[in-house]
Structures are given as structure tokens and as C-alpha cells.
Amino acid sequence: MRQVLVVHYSQTGQLGRLVQSVCAPLLARDDVQLDFLAVQPATPYPFPWPFLTFFSIFPETVLMRPEPLQPLQVDANKRYDLVILAYQVWFLSPSRPITSFLASPEATRLLRDTPVVTLIGCRNMWLMAQEKLKARLDALGARLLDNIVLTDACGSAASFLATPLWMFTGRQQPFSWLPKAGISEAEIADAQRFGVAIGERLAQGGPMEQPMLRGLGAVRIDEKLIASERVGTRSFKAWGTLLAALGPQHSLRRRAGLIVYIVFLLSLILTVVPVTALLKKLLSPLTRARIQREKAYFAAPSGE
């Protein structure tokens, strides 16, 4: 019997459905035992989010500072053949409950010398979050075998508005003229193919050392977002450090700083981002080879 642990945190329920889809073929097998660990913060996050509360967690999220969690319902001394780690992306970083789990003593024991498959459900920008997660997994002695990423169906431009409105209203399509936010249900259902491939590899026995999902389109790299993610991550870290220094999460100084930051962020999106996109398009003939190398790197280990 092969032992698999599925670690996940889902706020809206979308990532939970994605986890269920990927795991359905594994649950149907007699030779695989699945344990599920739903990570929950000690103080649950609201949904939908109040506007300033949403941004108030920005500094601790981008700085990957752990928070107290509810007791983890898992036997941390059990040895697993595989861990599936499912997470959302918050502010170009893994969600704070997941980074808090990775900082826990239980994660230290569970992930040491253990193969891991990461499963991401997000708007569209996940490259730098995965880089941060890879560093944490490496520090814990885990082995990343594969990465699965599903992103919002409405496209990058529309999701700038659609996804925040989902967070603030609790509705995926609060207005009829706006595309529905989130991953399409058809794509979520189709994710079962990854579970089928994982189940077939588990049935072969032996140590799991090579990617299982190559050729299945587990990830898609949008080359237009690579530079934006790098710039955004550096900016987020600088602002996160500054805002954290202003005071605790709900202090008046932190809130005042957040208002300044939100104005700055909106100005950046409306001015610098379009100009940067235009420059990248004009320079693309000169940078094509480098971009292809970067796409191959970020697509690893599963590949596009």
C-alpha cells in the first residue's frame, strides 16, 4: 500500500475542488492510501474580505512570516511515499497558512527525504511564489518531483478586476458585463489526468525520483509575465518590510501606510505595467533565446 499525504488550504473552495479532482483517481485505487491535511490558521481569514483587511496581511505574507495554526491533524512520524502540497498564491507568494505549515515542526519531519508534487490554483502569476516554495522545500530536505498549475480562465487583463472583486464580494461574477473569475470548472475536472499518471507511477513501486507528468501540460508559462513578476516581487518585499516596520497588522500607522501603498500600486498598474509590456514586445526579437531558457527553467520539472 502506497502512502500519500495531501496538504492543502483553500479559502474560496476552488482549490479544494481542484484537489478533489486530482485525487479522485488515487482514491479509486486499492493500492494507494490517501491522508488529507487541511491547514487552518488559528484565527480564520474572512471571506469575502474587507478591503483594508485584505491588504493588511500583505507584509507578513510577502516576508513569509509564519502565523499560529490550528493543531495539525496528522501523524508527523508517519513516512509517506509522496506528499501533494496544494496552495494558492497571495501577493506573489505562497498563501500564509501554507508557509506557516512549512515552518512547523511537523513539516520538518514529514517532508525530509520525501517526494513532493506542488499543485497551484491562482489568478495567473505564480512563478516567484513557486521559487520561494522550492527554496523552502529544499531547506526541509524534500524532493520536488512535479508541479501542476491551473490559472484563471478570464485572462490576465480581465482578471485584474475580476479576481479582486471576487475576493471583496464573495461572488465570482458580481456583474454580468465582467468575465467570471477563477479557473474553469471544465479545466478543474480535466485535472484528473494528473491523478491518473501519479497513480500509475505509484503502482510501479520503488523510490520516486523522476517527474511523472512530463508531456501532460502540467504548467503553462506566460513569457510576458516573467519580468513583471521579478519586478513585482522586489517591490513587494521592499514595501512589505516598510509596512511591517510601521506597526502591528491593525495599527493606525500600518493602515495609513497601506493606503499610500494601494495608491502607489494602482498607479504602477495603470502606468508602468503597460509601458513595460510595450517595451518587452519591441525588444522580443533580441531577447527570444533568453526567454526560451527562462520558460524552460520555470516550467521544470514537469514541463509545458
Side-chain angles (χ1 to χ4, degrees):
M1 181 72 72
R2 300 284 260 176
Q3 303 293 324
V4 178
L5 175 65
V6 183
V7 182
H8 60 101
Y9 169 76
S10 179
Q11 192 183 32
T12 66
Q14 175 178 259
L15 187 64
R17 295 195 303 278
L18 179 55
V19 166
Q20 292 171 5
S21 179
V22 172
C23 291
L26 300 176
L27 288 167
R29 300 187 67 98
D30 294 330
D31 55 353
V32 177
Q33 170 65 44
L34 254 68
D35 294 338
F36 290 87
L37 173 57
V39 178
Q40 295 293 338
T43 302
Y45 290 110
F47 186 77
W49 287 85
F51 185 76
L52 279 182
T53 303
F54 176 80
F55 284 99
S56 70
I57 66 166
F58 162 75
E60 287 74 19
T61 300
V62 300
L63 297 175
M64 298 184 71
R65 294 179 178 175
E67 65 180 335
L69 298 173
Q70 294 181 17
L72 297 172
Q73 303 299 315
V74 65
D75 180 0
N77 295 313
K78 182 175 179 179
R79 297 308 302 162
Y80 286 95
D81 297 292
L82 180 70
V83 172
I84 298 174
L85 181 60
Y87 73 95
Q88 304 163 306
V89 176
W90 292 3
F91 303 107
L92 304 183
S93 301
S95 70
R96 199 175 177 205
I98 290 298
T99 57
S100 300
F101 163 74
L102 292 174
S104 69
E106 290 87 348
T108 300
R109 298 200 294 273
L110 287 165
L111 295 177
R112 173 67 61 182
D113 298 321
T114 303
V116 174
V117 172
T118 47
L119 173 59
I120 303 171
C122 67
R123 186 175 74 86
N124 64 351
M125 299 176 80
W126 56 269
L127 302 179
M128 297 299 108
Q130 182 69 353
E131 288 298 292
K132 294 178 181 180
L133 195 79
K134 283 161 61 176
R136 284 292 173 92
L137 292 176
D138 186 62
L140 290 168
R143 304 192 307 275
L144 179 64
L145 290 190
D146 279 290
N147 183 29
I148 305 166
V149 183
L150 275 71
T151 59
D152 282 15
C154 63
S156 297
S159 66
F160 264 125
L161 182 59
T163 302
L165 284 175
W166 182 15
M167 298 301 102
F168 299 142
T169 68
R171 292 178 290 164
Q172 286 185 266
Q173 191 176 19
F175 305 107
S176 59
W177 49 266
L178 190 68
K180 185 178 179 180
I183 304 163
S184 74
E185 294 301 321
E187 194 168 8
I188 290 175
D190 187 50
Q192 288 194 25
R193 70 184 192 275
F194 303 120
V196 171
I198 293 170
E200 291 173 349
R201 173 60 189 88
L202 286 165
Q204 294 175 14
M208 302 179 68
E209 298 176 345
Q210 299 299 321
M212 301 170 283
L213 306 179
R214 285 178 178 164
L216 294 182
V219 303
R220 292 187 296 270
I221 306 297
D222 187 344
E223 62 190 51
K224 298 187 297 296
L225 298 177
I226 295 174
S228 297
E229 284 213 41
R230 285 194 172 117
V231 172
T233 297
R234 288 194 291 268
S235 174
F236 281 7
K237 184 176 181 180
W239 275 95
T241 302
L242 173 62
L243 290 168
L246 290 178
Q249 191 174 96
H250 299 295
S251 66
L252 289 177
R253 287 199 301 176
R254 168 81 72 90
R255 287 178 174 265
L258 280 170
I259 293 171
V260 174
Y261 171 69
I262 292 166
V263 173
F264 166 81
L265 183 62
L266 291 174
S267 302
L268 192 72
I269 291 171
L270 294 174
T271 57
V272 176
V273 171
V275 172
T276 302
L278 177 60
L279 288 174
K280 283 189 291 186
K281 186 173 183 179
L282 293 174
L283 295 174
S284 60
L286 303 175
T287 59
R288 187 172 291 115
R290 176 176 59 80
I291 289 174
Q292 291 305 313
R293 289 194 300 271
E294 290 181 335
K295 287 183 66 176
Y297 168 78
F298 287 119
S302 302
E304 290 188 278

